[in-house]
Amino acid sequence: MEEYNKIIESINVRFLRSRATKVIQPLTVLNYYDVSNTLILLLKGEIYFGEDKTKLNEGDLLFVPGGKPTAICFGSKFSAQLSNEDLLTQRDKHLVSLKTLDKAMDGHETIFCYISFETKVFDSVNFFASLDIPCFAITDYPVLAGVVRETVDEDLSNNAGKNRVIGLNTDRSVIEIVRYILVKNLFVEKLATNSTYFKDPRLLDIFAYIKNHLGGDLSNKMLANVANVSEDYVGQYFKMLTGINPQDYIEYQRMEMAVDLLRTTKKSIREIGIDVGYKDTAYFCRRFKMMFGIPAGKMRRRESLMNV
């Protein structure tokens, strides 16, 4: 257990947003996706997920790791089917954001809330993405459900110190997710295997270098110099410890940074592409859409809509 404590201590958690939502017209998002992690709490009604349309019970949670698209049905599994991109333009037909959860619970519609957050190991590696685990339900866990509900209530409030409470609760949510994985013996082999690289100082040097030089030269030759291994071996070494080759990891990190720049700056798509290492804007846009399923411009619009 001490090993898992070290893993938890190495995770930096950052709250991004929360929302309370009422389903006014049922819908199925065929490829629900976000770069960040999403923890959905079903308060009332129906939510189904995955290819087999597994049903959540009221009070259950659905954890969607960052970078893992999944099908989610809100309100009914027999509902209009939309892509994640379609949801940008049709969201208002199906979902409405709530300013409070108290009175909203009196109706018959499906009500859910969620929190979205980042989890980075040593401020560079997306923790849950590194485990390569799928979307999964968290059932019969009132402690975590209560923490998520309190976080959303705080975010909707004007309470003094609410940002501090939200931050503490988001940390607690991540801990409870890891505890649930361990207690239920879910993905434990992946947790044990994919976390071994946390102990390798040369690999941590590579992670840190990539994070600090996303706009520059990140060839295998450069990474080999950082890790003090041969250029021929560095790709094998990286994949042996992480399960992916270094250039795939680099592209994901660049795209993750691009999303953050879309979310937090007014830079043009061209400027953002250059900042994350793509001199060819058209190529950057193609790779962005291939990874996220929507163009960079629409991703910016999506992020702005998620924060209103």
Side-chain angles (χ1 to χ4, degrees):
M1 193 57 64
E2 183 60 29
E3 203 64 39
Y4 296 120
N5 286 333
K6 290 179 181 177
I7 293 172
I8 290 172
E9 289 299 317
S10 71
I11 301 173
N12 295 317
V13 180
R14 182 164 74 103
F15 172 82
L16 295 177
R17 69 175 73 89
S18 77
R19 178 170 276 175
T21 304
K22 177 190 292 186
V23 180
I24 53 178
Q25 183 177 333
L27 76 156
T28 296
V29 183
L30 296 172
N31 57 334
Y32 185 94
Y33 182 94
D34 203 340
V35 178
S36 55
N37 308 291
T38 306
L39 187 57
I40 299 170
L41 169 62
L42 176 60
L43 296 168
K44 189 181 66 170
E46 300 177 56
I47 288 181
Y48 304 82
F49 72 98
E51 292 183 4
D52 58 352
K53 297 185 177 179
T54 302
K55 184 179 181 181
L56 292 184
N57 294 316
E58 293 180 3
D60 287 348
L61 302 109
L62 181 64
F63 179 58
V64 186
K68 290 290 182 180
T70 189
I72 303 182
C73 309
F74 297 95
S76 170
K77 59 182 176 181
F78 306 106
S79 55
Q81 296 187 346
L82 303 177
S83 68
N84 207 41
E85 184 175 356
D86 293 335
L87 188 60
L88 288 174
T89 57
Q90 300 187 41
R91 185 182 190 281
D92 292 345
K93 297 179 182 177
H94 298 273
L95 306 173
V96 61
S97 296
L98 303 172
K99 297 187 181 299
T100 179
L101 283 170
D102 294 332
K103 295 182 180 179
M105 300 298 290
D106 297 336
H108 300 287
E109 299 90 348
T110 292
I111 306 288
F112 67 94
C113 59
Y114 72 82
I115 61 173
S116 179
F117 52 92
E118 289 182 348
T119 49
K120 295 290 184 72
V121 179
F122 303 116
D123 203 29
S124 58
V125 184
N126 187 319
F127 174 68
F128 288 110
S130 75
L131 298 183
D132 193 31
I133 59 177
C135 170
F136 65 94
I138 299 176
T139 62
D140 300 317
Y141 206 179
V143 171
L144 181 54
V147 172
V148 172
R149 173 67 188 266
E150 181 183 346
T151 304
V152 174
D153 285 338
E154 281 289 332
D155 202 24
L156 290 170
S157 77
N158 291 313
N159 293 337
K162 77 172 192 177
N163 291 336
R164 184 70 179 273
V165 173
I166 288 170
L168 292 170
N169 280 356
T170 308
D171 282 345
R172 177 71 185 275
S173 296
V174 172
I175 293 170
E176 295 298 345
I177 292 169
V178 175
R179 285 178 174 176
Y180 186 85
I181 288 173
L182 295 174
V183 169
K184 298 294 184 179
N185 203 30
L186 296 171
F187 325 116
V188 173
E189 184 176 344
K190 290 186 176 183
L191 183 60
T193 301
N194 293 353
S195 61
T196 54
Y197 60 73
F198 297 167
K199 309 169 191 175
D200 192 299
R202 292 181 300 177
L203 191 61
L204 295 180
D205 286 343
I206 292 178
F207 285 145
Y209 187 85
I210 290 172
K211 177 192 172 188
N212 294 323
H213 298 84
L214 283 174
D217 177 14
L218 292 175
S219 63
N220 279 8
K221 180 178 181 179
M222 184 61 69
L223 299 184
N225 290 335
V226 172
N228 197 26
V229 298
S230 73
E231 183 179 353
D232 292 336
Y233 177 64
V234 70
Q236 178 185 343
Y237 163 75
F238 191 96
K239 187 169 184 177
M240 178 177 63
L241 292 176
T242 67
I244 60 174
N245 71 61
Q247 294 308 315
D248 286 344
Y249 172 80
I250 289 165
E251 180 167 57
Y252 182 83
Q253 293 299 310
R254 282 174 162 161
M255 292 303 179
E256 192 176 54
M257 182 180 181
V259 172
D260 190 58
L261 292 172
L262 288 168
R263 178 190 294 141
T264 59
T265 74
K266 294 183 178 180
K267 289 185 175 183
S268 68
I269 303 299
R270 179 178 178 276
E271 288 174 314
I272 290 174
I274 292 171
D275 284 349
V276 299
Y278 293 87
K279 295 180 181 179
D280 185 334
T281 304
Y283 180 71
F284 165 69
C285 290
R286 286 197 303 273
R287 296 302 300 172
F288 190 98
K289 185 174 182 181
M290 184 175 293
M291 181 167 288
F292 299 127
I294 62 175
K298 287 192 175 181
M299 176 69 84
R300 169 169 274 164
R301 184 181 171 206
R302 173 185 183 275
E303 291 297 323
S304 65
L305 288 172
M306 296 296 282
N307 287 301
V308 296

Coordinates of all heavy atoms in Angstrom, one line a residue, residues 146-230:
G146 N -21.0 12.3 -2.5 CA -21.2 13.5 -1.6 C -20.2 14.6 -1.9 O -20.5 15.8 -1.9
V147 N -18.9 14.2 -2.1 CA -17.9 15.1 -2.4 C -18.1 15.8 -3.7 O -18.0 17.1 -3.9 CB -16.5 14.4 -2.5 CG1 -15.4 15.4 -3.0 CG2 -16.1 13.9 -1.1
V148 N -18.5 15.1 -4.8 CA -18.8 15.7 -6.1 C -20.0 16.7 -5.9 O -19.9 17.8 -6.5 CB -19.1 14.6 -7.1 CG1 -19.6 15.2 -8.4 CG2 -17.9 13.8 -7.4
R149 N -21.1 16.3 -5.3 CA -22.2 17.1 -5.1 C -21.8 18.4 -4.3 O -22.2 19.5 -4.7 CB -23.3 16.4 -4.3 CG -24.5 17.2 -3.9 CD -25.3 17.7 -5.1 NE -26.4 18.7 -4.7 CZ -27.6 18.3 -4.4 NH1 -28.0 17.1 -4.5 NH2 -28.5 19.3 -4.1
E150 N -21.0 18.3 -3.3 CA -20.6 19.5 -2.6 C -19.7 20.4 -3.4 O -19.9 21.6 -3.3 CB -19.8 19.0 -1.3 CG -19.4 20.2 -0.5 CD -18.5 19.8 0.7 OE1 -18.5 18.6 1.1 OE2 -17.9 20.7 1.3
T151 N -18.9 19.8 -4.3 CA -18.0 20.6 -5.1 C -18.9 21.4 -6.1 O -18.6 22.6 -6.3 CB -17.1 19.7 -5.9 OG1 -16.3 18.9 -5.0 CG2 -16.1 20.5 -6.8
V152 N -19.9 20.8 -6.7 CA -20.7 21.5 -7.6 C -21.5 22.6 -6.9 O -21.7 23.7 -7.4 CB -21.7 20.5 -8.3 CG1 -22.7 21.3 -9.2 CG2 -20.9 19.5 -9.2
D153 N -22.1 22.3 -5.7 CA -22.8 23.3 -5.0 C -21.9 24.5 -4.6 O -22.4 25.6 -4.7 CB -23.4 22.6 -3.7 CG -24.6 21.7 -3.9 OD1 -25.2 21.9 -5.0 OD2 -24.8 20.9 -3.1
E154 N -20.7 24.2 -4.2 CA -19.8 25.3 -3.9 C -19.5 26.1 -5.1 O -19.5 27.4 -5.1 CB -18.4 24.7 -3.4 CG -18.5 24.3 -2.0 CD -18.5 25.5 -1.0 OE1 -18.0 26.5 -1.3 OE2 -19.0 25.2 0.1
D155 N -19.3 25.5 -6.3 CA -19.0 26.2 -7.5 C -20.2 27.1 -7.9 O -20.0 28.2 -8.6 CB -18.6 25.3 -8.6 CG -17.8 25.9 -9.7 OD1 -17.1 26.9 -9.5 OD2 -17.8 25.4 -10.9
L156 N -21.4 26.7 -7.6 CA -22.6 27.5 -8.0 C -22.8 28.6 -7.0 O -23.7 29.5 -7.2 CB -23.8 26.5 -8.0 CG -23.9 25.5 -9.2 CD1 -25.0 24.5 -9.0 CD2 -24.1 26.3 -10.5
S157 N -22.2 28.5 -5.8 CA -22.4 29.5 -4.7 C -21.5 30.7 -4.8 O -20.6 30.8 -5.7 CB -22.2 28.8 -3.4 OG -20.8 28.7 -3.1
N158 N -21.7 31.6 -3.9 CA -20.9 32.8 -3.7 C -20.2 32.7 -2.3 O -19.9 33.7 -1.7 CB -21.6 34.1 -3.9 CG -22.1 34.3 -5.3 OD1 -21.3 34.2 -6.2 ND2 -23.3 34.7 -5.5
N159 N -20.0 31.5 -1.8 CA -19.5 31.3 -0.5 C -18.1 31.8 -0.4 O -17.3 31.6 -1.3 CB -19.5 29.9 -0.1 CG -20.9 29.3 0.1 OD1 -21.9 30.1 0.3 ND2 -21.1 28.0 0.0
A160 N -17.7 32.4 0.7 CA -16.3 32.8 1.0 C -15.5 31.5 1.0 O -15.8 30.5 1.6 CB -16.2 33.6 2.3
G161 N -14.3 31.6 0.4 CA -13.4 30.5 0.4 C -13.8 29.3 -0.5 O -13.2 28.2 -0.4
K162 N -14.7 29.6 -1.4 CA -15.2 28.4 -2.2 C -14.1 27.8 -3.1 O -14.1 26.6 -3.3 CB -16.4 28.9 -3.1 CG -16.1 29.7 -4.3 CD -17.4 29.8 -5.2 CE -17.1 30.4 -6.5 NZ -18.3 30.5 -7.4
N163 N -13.2 28.6 -3.6 CA -12.2 28.0 -4.4 C -11.3 27.1 -3.7 O -10.8 26.1 -4.2 CB -11.3 29.2 -5.1 CG -12.1 29.9 -6.1 OD1 -13.1 29.4 -6.7 ND2 -11.7 31.2 -6.4
R164 N -11.0 27.4 -2.4 CA -10.2 26.5 -1.6 C -11.0 25.2 -1.3 O -10.4 24.1 -1.4 CB -9.9 27.3 -0.2 CG -9.0 26.5 0.7 CD -7.6 26.5 0.2 NE -6.7 25.8 1.1 CZ -6.1 26.3 2.2 NH1 -6.3 27.6 2.4 NH2 -5.3 25.6 3.0
V165 N -12.3 25.3 -1.0 CA -13.1 24.1 -0.8 C -13.1 23.2 -2.1 O -12.9 22.0 -2.0 CB -14.5 24.5 -0.4 CG1 -15.4 23.2 -0.3 CG2 -14.5 25.1 1.0
I166 N -13.3 23.9 -3.2 CA -13.3 23.2 -4.5 C -12.0 22.4 -4.7 O -12.0 21.3 -5.2 CB -13.7 24.1 -5.6 CG1 -15.1 24.6 -5.6 CG2 -13.4 23.5 -7.0 CD1 -15.5 25.7 -6.5
G167 N -10.9 23.1 -4.5 CA -9.6 22.5 -4.7 C -9.4 21.3 -3.8 O -8.9 20.2 -4.2
L168 N -9.7 21.4 -2.5 CA -9.6 20.3 -1.6 C -10.5 19.2 -2.0 O -10.1 18.0 -1.9 CB -9.9 20.8 -0.1 CG -9.0 21.8 0.5 CD1 -9.5 22.4 1.8 CD2 -7.6 21.1 0.8
N169 N -11.7 19.5 -2.4 CA -12.7 18.4 -2.8 C -12.2 17.7 -4.0 O -12.4 16.5 -4.2 CB -14.1 19.0 -3.0 CG -14.8 19.2 -1.7 OD1 -14.3 18.9 -0.6 ND2 -16.0 19.8 -1.8
T170 N -11.6 18.4 -5.0 CA -11.1 17.8 -6.2 C -10.0 16.8 -5.8 O -9.9 15.7 -6.4 CB -10.6 18.8 -7.2 OG1 -11.7 19.8 -7.4 CG2 -10.3 18.2 -8.5
D171 N -9.1 17.2 -5.0 CA -8.0 16.3 -4.5 C -8.6 15.1 -3.9 O -8.2 14.0 -4.1 CB -7.1 17.0 -3.4 CG -6.1 18.0 -4.0 OD1 -5.9 17.9 -5.2 OD2 -5.6 18.8 -3.3
R172 N -9.7 15.3 -3.0 CA -10.3 14.2 -2.4 C -11.0 13.2 -3.4 O -10.9 12.0 -3.2 CB -11.4 14.7 -1.4 CG -12.2 13.6 -0.7 CD -11.4 12.9 0.4 NE -12.1 11.8 1.0 CZ -13.0 11.9 2.0 NH1 -13.1 13.1 2.6 NH2 -13.6 10.9 2.5
S173 N -11.6 13.8 -4.4 CA -12.2 13.0 -5.5 C -11.2 12.1 -6.1 O -11.5 10.9 -6.4 CB -12.9 13.9 -6.5 OG -13.9 14.7 -5.9
V174 N -10.0 12.6 -6.4 CA -9.0 11.8 -7.1 C -8.6 10.6 -6.2 O -8.4 9.5 -6.6 CB -7.8 12.6 -7.5 CG1 -6.6 11.7 -8.0 CG2 -8.2 13.6 -8.6
I175 N -8.4 10.9 -4.9 CA -8.0 9.9 -3.9 C -9.1 8.8 -3.8 O -8.8 7.6 -3.8 CB -7.7 10.6 -2.5 CG1 -6.5 11.4 -2.6 CG2 -7.6 9.5 -1.5 CD1 -6.3 12.3 -1.4
E176 N -10.3 9.3 -3.8 CA -11.4 8.3 -3.7 C -11.5 7.4 -4.9 O -11.9 6.2 -4.9 CB -12.7 9.0 -3.4 CG -12.8 9.7 -2.1 CD -12.7 8.8 -0.9 OE1 -12.8 7.6 -1.0 OE2 -12.4 9.3 0.2
I177 N -11.2 8.0 -6.1 CA -11.2 7.2 -7.3 C -10.2 6.1 -7.3 O -10.4 4.9 -7.6 CB -11.0 8.1 -8.6 CG1 -12.2 9.0 -8.8 CG2 -10.8 7.2 -9.8 CD1 -12.0 10.1 -9.8
V178 N -9.0 6.5 -6.8 CA -7.9 5.5 -6.7 C -8.2 4.4 -5.6 O -8.0 3.2 -5.8 CB -6.6 6.2 -6.4 CG1 -5.5 5.2 -6.1 CG2 -6.1 7.1 -7.5
R179 N -8.8 4.9 -4.5 CA -9.2 3.9 -3.5 C -10.3 2.9 -4.0 O -10.2 1.7 -3.8 CB -9.8 4.7 -2.3 CG -8.8 5.4 -1.4 CD -9.5 6.1 -0.3 NE -8.5 6.7 0.6 CZ -8.8 7.5 1.6 NH1 -10.1 7.8 1.9 NH2 -7.9 8.0 2.4
Y180 N -11.2 3.4 -4.8 CA -12.2 2.6 -5.4 C -11.6 1.5 -6.3 O -12.0 0.4 -6.3 CB -13.2 3.4 -6.2 CG -14.4 2.6 -6.7 CD1 -15.5 2.4 -5.9 CD2 -14.5 2.1 -8.0 CE1 -16.6 1.7 -6.3 CE2 -15.5 1.4 -8.4 CZ -16.6 1.2 -7.6 OH -17.7 0.5 -8.1
I181 N -10.6 2.0 -7.1 CA -9.9 1.1 -8.0 C -9.2 -0.1 -7.2 O -9.3 -1.2 -7.6 CB -8.9 1.8 -8.9 CG1 -9.6 2.7 -9.9 CG2 -7.9 0.9 -9.6 CD1 -8.7 3.6 -10.7
L182 N -8.6 0.3 -6.1 CA -7.9 -0.7 -5.3 C -8.9 -1.6 -4.6 O -8.7 -2.8 -4.6 CB -7.0 0.1 -4.3 CG -5.9 0.9 -4.9 CD1 -5.1 1.6 -3.8 CD2 -4.9 0.0 -5.7
V183 N -9.9 -1.0 -4.0 CA -10.9 -1.9 -3.2 C -11.6 -2.8 -4.1 O -11.8 -4.0 -3.7 CB -11.9 -1.0 -2.4 CG1 -13.0 -1.8 -1.9 CG2 -11.2 -0.2 -1.3
K184 N -12.0 -2.4 -5.3 CA -12.7 -3.2 -6.2 C -11.8 -4.1 -7.1 O -12.3 -4.8 -8.0 CB -13.6 -2.3 -7.1 CG -14.7 -1.6 -6.3 CD -15.7 -2.5 -5.7 CE -16.8 -1.7 -5.0 NZ -17.9 -2.6 -4.4
N185 N -10.5 -3.9 -6.9 CA -9.5 -4.7 -7.7 C -9.7 -4.4 -9.2 O -9.6 -5.3 -10.0 CB -9.6 -6.2 -7.4 CG -8.4 -6.9 -7.7 OD1 -7.3 -6.4 -7.6 ND2 -8.5 -8.2 -8.1
L186 N -9.9 -3.2 -9.5 CA -10.1 -2.8 -10.9 C -8.8 -2.3 -11.5 O -8.1 -1.4 -10.9 CB -11.1 -1.6 -11.1 CG -12.6 -2.0 -10.7 CD1 -13.4 -0.7 -10.6 CD2 -13.2 -2.9 -11.6
F187 N -8.4 -2.8 -12.6 CA -7.2 -2.3 -13.4 C -5.9 -2.2 -12.5 O -5.0 -1.4 -12.8 CB -7.5 -0.9 -13.9 CG -8.8 -0.6 -14.4 CD1 -9.7 0.3 -13.7 CD2 -9.4 -1.3 -15.4 CE1 -11.0 0.5 -14.2 CE2 -10.7 -1.1 -15.9 CZ -11.5 -0.2 -15.2
V188 N -5.9 -3.0 -11.4 CA -4.8 -3.0 -10.5 C -3.5 -3.4 -11.2 O -2.4 -2.8 -10.9 CB -5.0 -3.9 -9.3 CG1 -3.7 -3.9 -8.4 CG2 -6.2 -3.3 -8.5
E189 N -3.5 -4.3 -12.1 CA -2.3 -4.7 -12.8 C -1.8 -3.6 -13.7 O -0.6 -3.3 -13.7 CB -2.6 -5.9 -13.7 CG -1.4 -6.5 -14.4 CD -1.6 -7.7 -15.3 OE1 -2.7 -8.3 -15.1 OE2 -0.8 -8.0 -16.1
K190 N -2.7 -2.8 -14.3 CA -2.3 -1.7 -15.1 C -1.7 -0.6 -14.2 O -0.7 0.1 -14.5 CB -3.5 -1.1 -15.9 CG -3.9 -2.0 -17.1 CD -5.0 -1.3 -17.9 CE -5.3 -2.2 -19.1 NZ -6.3 -1.5 -20.0
L191 N -2.3 -0.4 -13.0 CA -1.9 0.6 -12.1 C -0.5 0.2 -11.6 O 0.4 1.1 -11.5 CB -2.8 0.6 -10.9 CG -2.5 1.7 -9.8 CD1 -2.5 3.1 -10.4 CD2 -3.5 1.6 -8.6
A192 N -0.2 -1.1 -11.3 CA 1.1 -1.5 -10.9 C 2.1 -1.4 -12.0 O 3.3 -0.9 -11.8 CB 1.0 -2.9 -10.3
T193 N 1.7 -1.9 -13.2 CA 2.7 -1.9 -14.3 C 3.0 -0.5 -14.8 O 4.2 -0.2 -15.0 CB 2.1 -2.8 -15.4 OG1 1.9 -4.1 -14.9 CG2 3.1 -2.9 -16.6
N194 N 2.0 0.3 -15.1 CA 2.2 1.5 -15.8 C 2.7 2.6 -14.9 O 3.1 3.7 -15.3 CB 0.9 2.0 -16.4 CG 0.5 1.1 -17.6 OD1 1.2 0.2 -17.9 ND2 -0.7 1.3 -18.1
S195 N 2.8 2.4 -13.6 CA 3.3 3.4 -12.7 C 4.8 3.1 -12.3 O 5.4 3.9 -11.6 CB 2.5 3.4 -11.4 OG 2.6 2.1 -10.7
T196 N 5.4 2.0 -12.9 CA 6.8 1.7 -12.5 C 7.7 2.8 -13.0 O 8.8 3.1 -12.5 CB 7.2 0.4 -13.2 OG1 6.9 0.4 -14.6 CG2 6.4 -0.8 -12.5
Y197 N 7.3 3.5 -14.1 CA 8.2 4.5 -14.6 C 8.4 5.8 -13.7 O 9.2 6.6 -13.9 CB 7.8 5.0 -16.0 CG 6.4 5.6 -16.1 CD1 6.1 6.9 -15.6 CD2 5.4 4.9 -16.7 CE1 4.9 7.4 -15.7 CE2 4.1 5.5 -16.9 CZ 3.9 6.7 -16.4 OH 2.6 7.3 -16.5
F198 N 7.5 5.9 -12.7 CA 7.6 7.0 -11.8 C 8.9 6.9 -11.0 O 9.4 7.9 -10.4 CB 6.5 6.9 -10.7 CG 5.1 7.1 -11.3 CD1 4.0 6.8 -10.5 CD2 4.9 7.5 -12.6 CE1 2.7 6.9 -11.0 CE2 3.6 7.6 -13.1 CZ 2.5 7.4 -12.3
K199 N 9.6 5.7 -11.0 CA 10.8 5.5 -10.2 C 12.0 5.7 -11.1 O 13.1 5.7 -10.5 CB 10.8 4.1 -9.6 CG 9.6 3.7 -8.9 CD 9.6 2.2 -8.6 CE 8.2 1.7 -8.1 NZ 8.2 0.3 -7.9
D200 N 11.9 5.9 -12.4 CA 13.1 5.9 -13.3 C 13.5 7.3 -13.5 O 12.8 8.1 -14.2 CB 12.7 5.2 -14.6 CG 14.0 4.9 -15.4 OD1 14.6 5.9 -15.8 OD2 14.3 3.8 -15.7
P201 N 14.6 7.8 -12.9 CA 15.0 9.2 -13.1 C 15.3 9.6 -14.5 O 15.1 10.8 -14.8 CB 16.3 9.2 -12.2 CG 16.8 7.8 -12.1 CD 15.6 7.0 -12.1
R202 N 15.8 8.7 -15.3 CA 16.1 9.1 -16.7 C 14.8 9.4 -17.5 O 14.8 10.4 -18.3 CB 16.9 8.0 -17.4 CG 18.4 7.9 -16.9 CD 19.1 6.8 -17.6 NE 18.5 5.5 -17.5 CZ 18.9 4.4 -18.1 NH1 19.9 4.4 -18.9 NH2 18.2 3.3 -18.0
L203 N 13.8 8.6 -17.2 CA 12.6 8.8 -17.9 C 11.9 10.1 -17.4 O 11.3 10.8 -18.2 CB 11.6 7.6 -17.7 CG 10.4 7.6 -18.5 CD1 10.7 7.6 -20.0 CD2 9.5 6.4 -18.2
L204 N 12.0 10.3 -16.1 CA 11.5 11.6 -15.5 C 12.2 12.8 -16.1 O 11.5 13.8 -16.4 CB 11.6 11.6 -14.0 CG 10.8 10.5 -13.3 CD1 11.0 10.6 -11.8 CD2 9.3 10.6 -13.6
D205 N 13.4 12.7 -16.4 CA 14.2 13.7 -17.1 C 13.6 14.0 -18.5 O 13.5 15.1 -19.0 CB 15.7 13.4 -17.2 CG 16.4 13.6 -15.9 OD1 15.8 14.2 -15.0 OD2 17.5 13.0 -15.7
I206 N 13.3 12.9 -19.2 CA 12.7 13.0 -20.5 C 11.3 13.7 -20.5 O 11.0 14.6 -21.2 CB 12.5 11.6 -21.2 CG1 13.9 11.1 -21.5 CG2 11.7 11.7 -22.5 CD1 13.9 9.7 -22.2
F207 N 10.5 13.3 -19.5 CA 9.2 13.9 -19.3 C 9.3 15.4 -19.1 O 8.6 16.2 -19.7 CB 8.4 13.3 -18.1 CG 7.9 11.9 -18.4 CD1 7.8 10.9 -17.4 CD2 7.3 11.6 -19.6 CE1 7.3 9.7 -17.6 CE2 6.8 10.3 -19.9 CZ 6.8 9.4 -18.9
A208 N 10.2 15.8 -18.2 CA 10.4 17.2 -17.9 C 10.9 17.9 -19.1 O 10.5 19.1 -19.4 CB 11.4 17.3 -16.7
Y209 N 11.8 17.4 -19.9 CA 12.4 18.0 -21.0 C 11.3 18.2 -22.1 O 11.1 19.3 -22.7 CB 13.5 17.2 -21.6 CG 14.2 18.0 -22.8 CD1 15.2 18.9 -22.5 CD2 13.8 17.8 -24.1 CE1 15.8 19.6 -23.5 CE2 14.4 18.5 -25.1 CZ 15.4 19.4 -24.8 OH 16.0 20.1 -25.8
I210 N 10.4 17.2 -22.3 CA 9.3 17.3 -23.3 C 8.4 18.4 -22.8 O 8.0 19.3 -23.7 CB 8.6 16.0 -23.4 CG1 9.5 15.0 -24.1 CG2 7.3 16.2 -24.2 CD1 8.9 13.5 -24.1
K211 N 8.0 18.4 -21.6 CA 7.1 19.5 -21.1 C 7.6 20.9 -21.3 O 6.9 21.8 -21.7 CB 6.8 19.2 -19.6 CG 5.9 20.3 -19.0 CD 6.0 20.2 -17.5 CE 5.2 21.4 -16.9 NZ 5.4 21.5 -15.4
N212 N 8.9 21.1 -21.1 CA 9.5 22.4 -21.2 C 9.9 22.8 -22.6 O 10.3 24.0 -22.9 CB 10.7 22.5 -20.3 CG 10.3 22.4 -18.8 OD1 9.3 23.0 -18.5 ND2 11.1 21.8 -18.0
H213 N 9.8 21.9 -23.6 CA 10.3 22.2 -25.0 C 9.3 21.7 -26.0 O 9.7 21.2 -27.1 CB 11.6 21.5 -25.2 CG 12.7 22.0 -24.3 ND1 12.9 21.5 -23.1 CD2 13.7 23.0 -24.5 CE1 14.0 22.2 -22.5 NE2 14.4 23.0 -23.3
L214 N 8.0 21.8 -25.7 CA 7.0 21.3 -26.7 C 7.0 22.0 -28.0 O 6.6 21.5 -29.0 CB 5.6 21.4 -26.0 CG 5.2 20.4 -25.0 CD1 3.9 20.7 -24.3 CD2 5.2 19.0 -25.6
G215 N 7.5 23.2 -28.0 CA 7.6 24.0 -29.3 C 8.9 23.8 -30.1 O 9.1 24.3 -31.1
G216 N 9.8 23.0 -29.5 CA 11.1 22.8 -30.1 C 11.4 21.4 -30.6 O 10.5 20.7 -30.9
D217 N 12.7 21.1 -30.7 CA 13.1 19.9 -31.3 C 13.0 18.8 -30.3 O 13.6 18.8 -29.2 CB 14.6 20.0 -31.7 CG 15.2 18.7 -32.2 OD1 14.4 17.8 -32.5 OD2 16.4 18.6 -32.3
L218 N 12.1 17.8 -30.6 CA 11.9 16.7 -29.7 C 12.1 15.4 -30.4 O 11.4 14.4 -30.2 CB 10.5 16.7 -29.1 CG 10.2 17.9 -28.1 CD1 8.8 17.9 -27.6 CD2 11.2 17.8 -26.9
S219 N 13.1 15.4 -31.3 CA 13.5 14.1 -32.0 C 14.0 13.1 -31.0 O 14.4 13.4 -29.9 CB 14.5 14.5 -33.1 OG 15.7 14.9 -32.4
N220 N 14.0 11.9 -31.5 CA 14.6 10.8 -30.7 C 16.1 11.1 -30.4 O 16.6 10.7 -29.3 CB 14.5 9.4 -31.4 CG 13.1 8.8 -31.2 OD1 12.2 9.5 -30.7 ND2 13.0 7.6 -31.6
K221 N 16.8 11.8 -31.3 CA 18.2 12.1 -31.0 C 18.3 13.0 -29.8 O 19.2 12.9 -29.0 CB 18.8 12.8 -32.3 CG 20.2 13.2 -32.1 CD 20.8 13.8 -33.4 CE 22.3 14.1 -33.3 NZ 22.8 14.7 -34.5
M222 N 17.4 14.0 -29.8 CA 17.5 15.0 -28.6 C 17.1 14.3 -27.3 O 17.7 14.5 -26.3 CB 16.5 16.1 -28.9 CG 16.5 17.2 -27.8 SD 18.1 18.0 -27.7 CE 18.2 18.9 -29.2
L223 N 16.1 13.4 -27.4 CA 15.7 12.7 -26.2 C 16.8 11.7 -25.7 O 17.0 11.6 -24.5 CB 14.4 11.9 -26.4 CG 13.1 12.7 -26.8 CD1 11.9 11.8 -27.0 CD2 12.8 13.8 -25.8
A224 N 17.5 11.1 -26.6 CA 18.6 10.3 -26.3 C 19.7 11.0 -25.5 O 20.3 10.5 -24.6 CB 19.2 9.6 -27.5
N225 N 20.0 12.3 -25.9 CA 20.9 13.1 -25.2 C 20.5 13.4 -23.8 O 21.3 13.4 -22.9 CB 21.2 14.4 -26.0 CG 21.9 14.2 -27.3 OD1 22.6 13.2 -27.5 ND2 21.7 15.1 -28.3
V226 N 19.2 13.7 -23.7 CA 18.6 14.0 -22.3 C 18.8 12.8 -21.4 O 19.2 12.9 -20.2 CB 17.1 14.4 -22.4 CG1 16.5 14.5 -21.0 CG2 17.0 15.7 -23.2
A227 N 18.5 11.6 -21.9 CA 18.5 10.4 -21.1 C 19.9 9.7 -21.0 O 20.1 8.7 -20.3 CB 17.5 9.4 -21.6
N228 N 20.8 10.2 -21.8 CA 22.1 9.6 -21.9 C 22.1 8.2 -22.3 O 22.8 7.3 -21.7 CB 22.9 9.8 -20.6 CG 24.4 9.6 -20.7 OD1 24.9 9.8 -21.8 ND2 25.0 9.1 -19.7
V229 N 21.3 7.9 -23.4 CA 21.2 6.6 -24.0 C 21.4 6.8 -25.5 O 21.4 7.9 -26.0 CB 19.9 5.8 -23.7 CG1 19.8 5.6 -22.2 CG2 18.7 6.6 -24.2
S230 N 21.5 5.7 -26.2 CA 21.8 5.8 -27.7 C 20.5 6.2 -28.4 O 19.4 5.9 -27.9 CB 22.3 4.5 -28.2 OG 21.3 3.5 -28.3

